[in-house]
Amino acid sequence: MHPEINLSDFKATATIDWLDIAVTLGRTTQFQYVQAELHGLLGLSPSDAVIHVTPQNVDKCTDAATGFVLRLQEHHHGNNAAKIAHVVLGLAARFEFAAPARIAAIEVAFDLKPRHDPQAVYDAYALLQGGIAAYGEHARQYAPSVRHGGQVVPLTLDPLLAPQGTLYVGHHDAKHGHQPTPKAYRVYAKVTDNNAAPLPPEQHRARAEVTLQLDALEEYGLTDPLALASYDFTRLADLLHFQQLKPVEAIVQASRNKLATDLREAISAIGTTGRPTSPEKLAQFRWRVKFSPVKAAALASLHRGTDRVMEWQGGWLGSEGRALQHSKDTTPDAKLNRKVKSALQALSRGMASATYPPTPKRCARPR
């Protein structure tokens, strides 16, 4: 389904890609004054970087508001909990908050960065999107399975994109005309920056992102921007979780065993009751024979060892409100999941250990 890669050839890291913080000020003001204060707190000028500030419930007469949502990108906070706290406390001192600041949304990314060959980023991308992008009933399943109404479905395809594309599951905003979902995913090969400018090859990486918002923030305890230094990001390991297909032989054997068990049960039922098998049951067996283990093996062989590329126009269609699921034909990718957990542990340590503002270097006194 995806190429085999040696994970030791990749550096695995985790980062907070961006963080939305909602604040309620004690008095009305316009967004540019909040933005200017943010730049001052972070030592930025407007030409260095513009921090996105979105006012809430704007007064049309004065163009002012008390509620604002601040988006801090990774290059603003640098995975530094002390820096994030410095921003929140600085704004509170300047404008006086009417309510505690809260996290409105957060996006955590897991990256696999090639150590040697930049082109290997596409193999890593195929590994990530092939392992995480499963959703819906019986996602990524080759073996026959009975669904509602007795219909037998032998193969479920997932929407997979070309390496130049991005795979979406759920959505974190409404710009595509959908309601935001509590947990949303993106998986892609990051070879350009946010302005679509090419990144140098040494910065290429395969990335899987999960966005938490709405009730997912409460579920994972990510509500207080002042508590990030003590947060254990390994709590998100179940979200950044990867599976891989079992060997085709195991899938076929499990299907063959299930078919044999069903036939034995039917024969036993006939012997016990003296009645023939119902037409409905016989129809199910005919379906199972039609989509037999041999059929499942042929379908699996057709796709195994390839990226199984399928263009998925729009990207968002079909994943509204669905949770990530994995079928009985997959098994946890233990090595990759250990990489994820280790990267999240490093993220926790980095958030807790950094300081802000940095301690100035002492100059040697002249003698």
Side-chain angles (χ1 to χ4, degrees):
M1 180 177 155
H2 53 66
E4 297 291 333
I5 68 173
N6 186 349
L7 287 175
S8 63
D9 291 336
F10 297 83
K11 181 180 180 181
T13 58
T15 184
I16 298 177
D17 193 35
W18 53 260
L19 177 72
D20 282 354
I21 300 175
V23 299
T24 304
L25 309 186
R27 61 182 186 275
T28 59
T29 190
Q30 296 176 338
F31 85 93
Q32 62 265 31
Y33 299 112
V34 178
Q35 189 179 68
E37 186 67 20
L38 282 169
H39 281 101
L41 289 166
L42 293 173
L44 301 172
S45 68
S47 60
D48 291 330
V50 177
I51 297 178
H52 192 61
V53 177
T54 306
Q56 310 292 306
N57 301 319
V58 180
D59 187 313
K60 294 182 179 179
C61 297
T62 63
D63 200 27
T66 56
F68 296 88
V69 175
L70 331 167
R71 173 158 294 187
L72 298 180
Q73 301 280 355
E74 196 276 335
H75 60 274
H76 296 140
H77 60 73
N79 282 346
N80 188 329
K83 197 172 185 180
I84 294 169
H86 175 78
V87 167
V88 174
L89 296 175
L91 284 179
R94 173 69 173 82
F95 295 103
E96 296 183 1
F97 288 175
R102 58 182 176 83
I103 296 175
I106 188 171
E107 184 170 273
V108 177
F110 171 73
D111 291 326
L112 286 177
K113 183 178 178 181
R115 296 184 187 275
H116 310 294
D117 178 14
Q119 286 301 310
V121 70
Y122 294 108
D123 289 341
Y125 162 79
L127 176 69
L128 295 184
Q129 61 89 28
I132 202 170
Y135 61 81
E137 188 174 7
H138 305 312
R140 197 174 292 110
Q141 182 161 297
Y142 286 135
S145 178
V146 178
R147 296 178 67 180
H148 298 296
Q151 182 184 9
V152 177
V153 180
L155 176 67
T156 301
L157 292 176
D158 304 323
L160 303 183
L161 293 180
Q164 292 76 21
T166 301
L167 182 124
Y168 297 88
V169 181
H171 29 81
H172 75 261
D173 55 38
K175 67 181 180 180
H176 291 269
H178 299 291
Q179 284 293 110
T181 50
K183 303 165 189 174
Y185 295 81
R186 285 199 310 170
V187 185
Y188 59 102
K190 189 170 180 62
V191 296
T192 62
D193 64 14
N194 293 330
N195 296 318
L199 290 170
E202 62 271 16
Q203 294 184 25
H204 289 185
R205 53 199 181 273
R207 169 166 285 195
E209 299 170 344
V210 57
T211 301
L212 301 180
Q213 58 193 352
L214 305 174
D215 55 357
L217 295 168
E218 195 76 42
E219 178 183 352
Y220 285 88
L222 277 167
T223 56
D224 185 0
L226 300 178
L228 290 173
S230 60
Y231 187 77
D232 179 7
F233 282 90
T234 61
R235 293 180 63 179
L236 307 184
D238 67 313
L239 296 173
L240 290 165
H241 176 81
F242 297 89
Q243 301 268 125
Q244 60 182 346
L245 274 174
K246 296 177 181 177
V248 177
E249 296 78 11
I251 297 174
V252 172
Q253 187 58 51
S255 178
R256 184 182 292 116
N257 293 343
K258 180 68 167 62
L259 183 60
T261 299
D262 290 340
L263 289 172
R264 282 196 298 269
E265 289 178 355
I267 293 171
S268 176
I270 292 172
T272 302
T273 64
R275 294 194 300 269
T277 305
S278 68
E280 294 79 9
K281 196 72 173 178
L282 284 174
Q284 289 184 16
F285 288 145
R286 290 192 185 100
W287 273 97
R288 294 188 185 188
V289 171
K290 183 178 180 181
F291 297 110
S292 66
V294 176
K295 179 80 170 182
L299 290 168
S301 298
L302 179 65
H303 297 289
R304 193 170 179 82
T306 72
D307 291 344
R308 201 154 50 109
V309 171
M310 179 188 298
E311 290 294 339
W312 193 29
Q313 299 298 328
W316 305 84
L317 184 63
S319 61
E320 294 84 351
R322 298 186 185 182
L324 289 182
Q325 296 181 17
H326 295 281
S327 79
K328 64 186 181 183
D329 293 335
T330 63
T331 186
D333 191 330
K335 291 182 179 179
L336 184 54
N337 290 329
R338 282 198 297 269
K339 285 274 190 181
V340 171
K341 188 171 183 180
S342 177
L344 291 172
Q345 288 172 336
L347 174 61
S348 298
R349 291 193 299 269
M351 290 289 288
S353 61
T355 58
Y356 193 85
T359 304
K361 294 182 179 179
R362 292 184 179 182
C363 298
R365 292 182 180 180
R367 293 183 180 180

